[in-house]
Amino acid sequence: MRVLLVEDDRRVAAALSSALTRRGYQVEHAATVAAALAAAPCDLVLLDLTLPDGDGTELCRELRRRSAQIGIIAVTARGEERDRVLGLRLGADDYVVKPFSMVELQARIEAVLRRAVRAAPEPDRLVAGGLRIDVAARTVTVDDRPVTLTRKEFDILVSLARQPGTVVPRERILLDVWGTTWADRHTVEVHVGSLRGKLGDARLVETVRGVGYRLRGE
């Protein structure tokens, strides 16, 4: 998961970045509106509404205008009801008032990302080389050979097949399939191992050590 942390207090930003990195997120920090607007695409924005070069609420509006799928959580000391309502109306998915615990923030992040995954349009069929996946019928064939998968194995394969040739982090698979990034990561390894055996070609699903997995795109 790629997280853009928009926070002008460097001590707060350092603590949050460290905590999120330990939980498996890739964090980019922006201390200003300008830096946030120039940042690389991400899955989630943690947005302080009080910034030195502009209004965080207007930044929220612009980020939402750029992407309907990105998750946005306002993380701010502004606790007045009117601020909460304004932030949500301008496009934030959730609103967290400082101070907060990492447990609460983690739960809110996962909830927002789950909603984003469900809202993303899902194609009826996914294709990667000789692999064919009918998402609606939940069927898989490899070179026209039917492959029977468990529910988790099928969902892992779909998570990988959405971006063939691209590395999908373990945290993304956990979120897509288990709905959380807190599950035991060895669970993913076990299911991927079983999936490889059923597909009949272990090379179809490649391990990228320390990061995640990649479905061969050719």
Side-chain angles (χ1 to χ4, degrees), residues 39 56 70 164 183:
I70 191 173

Side-chain angles (χ1 to χ4, degrees), residues 11 18 21-22 24-25 58-59 61 70 72 86 89 101 111 146 164 170 180 186 191 193 195 199 211:
R11 287 181 298 177
S18 177
T21 300
R22 287 197 302 271
Y25 297 100
E58 290 305 313
L59 174 58
R61 187 204 300 272
I70 191 173
I72 302 176
L86 178 60
R89 284 179 174 171
S101 70
R170 286 185 181 86
T180 179
H186 293 297
H191 282 82
L195 174 61
L199 293 177
V211 182

Side-chain angles (χ1 to χ4, degrees), residues 152-194:
K152 295 296 188 189
E153 290 164 356
F154 181 87
D155 291 343
I156 290 172
L157 185 59
V158 168
S159 182
L160 297 171
R162 290 189 186 114
Q163 305 174 76
T166 301
V167 179
V168 180
R170 286 185 181 86
E171 290 74 20
R172 180 84 224 187
I173 296 173
L174 284 168
L175 188 67
D176 286 349
V177 179
W178 280 269
T180 179
T181 58
W182 281 86
D184 185 350
R185 298 184 187 185
H186 293 297
T187 300
V188 178
E189 296 174 7
V190 171
H191 282 82
V192 168
S194 177

Side-chain angles (χ1 to χ4, degrees), residues 30-98:
T32 63
V33 170
L37 292 174
C42 63
D43 300 295
L44 178 83
V45 179
L46 297 178
L47 175 60
D48 186 359
L49 298 182
T50 305
L51 297 168
D53 63 336
D55 188 352
T57 55
E58 290 305 313
L59 174 58
C60 180
R61 187 204 300 272
E62 175 60 19
L63 293 172
R64 179 56 69 215
R65 186 191 67 79
R66 292 184 178 188
S67 173
Q69 279 73 47
I70 191 173
I72 302 176
I73 300 178
V75 182
T76 178
R78 297 185 187 178
E80 298 294 329
E81 182 180 30
R82 62 183 180 182
D83 292 318
R84 294 172 183 257
V85 171
L86 178 60
L88 295 171
R89 284 179 174 171
L90 290 177
D93 297 288
D94 205 346
Y95 199 107
V96 183
V97 178
K98 300 175 182 176

Side-chain angles (χ1 to χ4, degrees), residues 121-128 131-139 141 154 158 161-162 164:
E122 185 74 84
D124 292 333
R125 289 177 175 81
L126 298 169
V127 178
L131 175 68
R132 301 287 188 276
I133 304 171
D134 187 320
V135 177
R138 296 185 70 85
T139 59
T141 61
F154 181 87
V158 168
R162 290 189 186 114

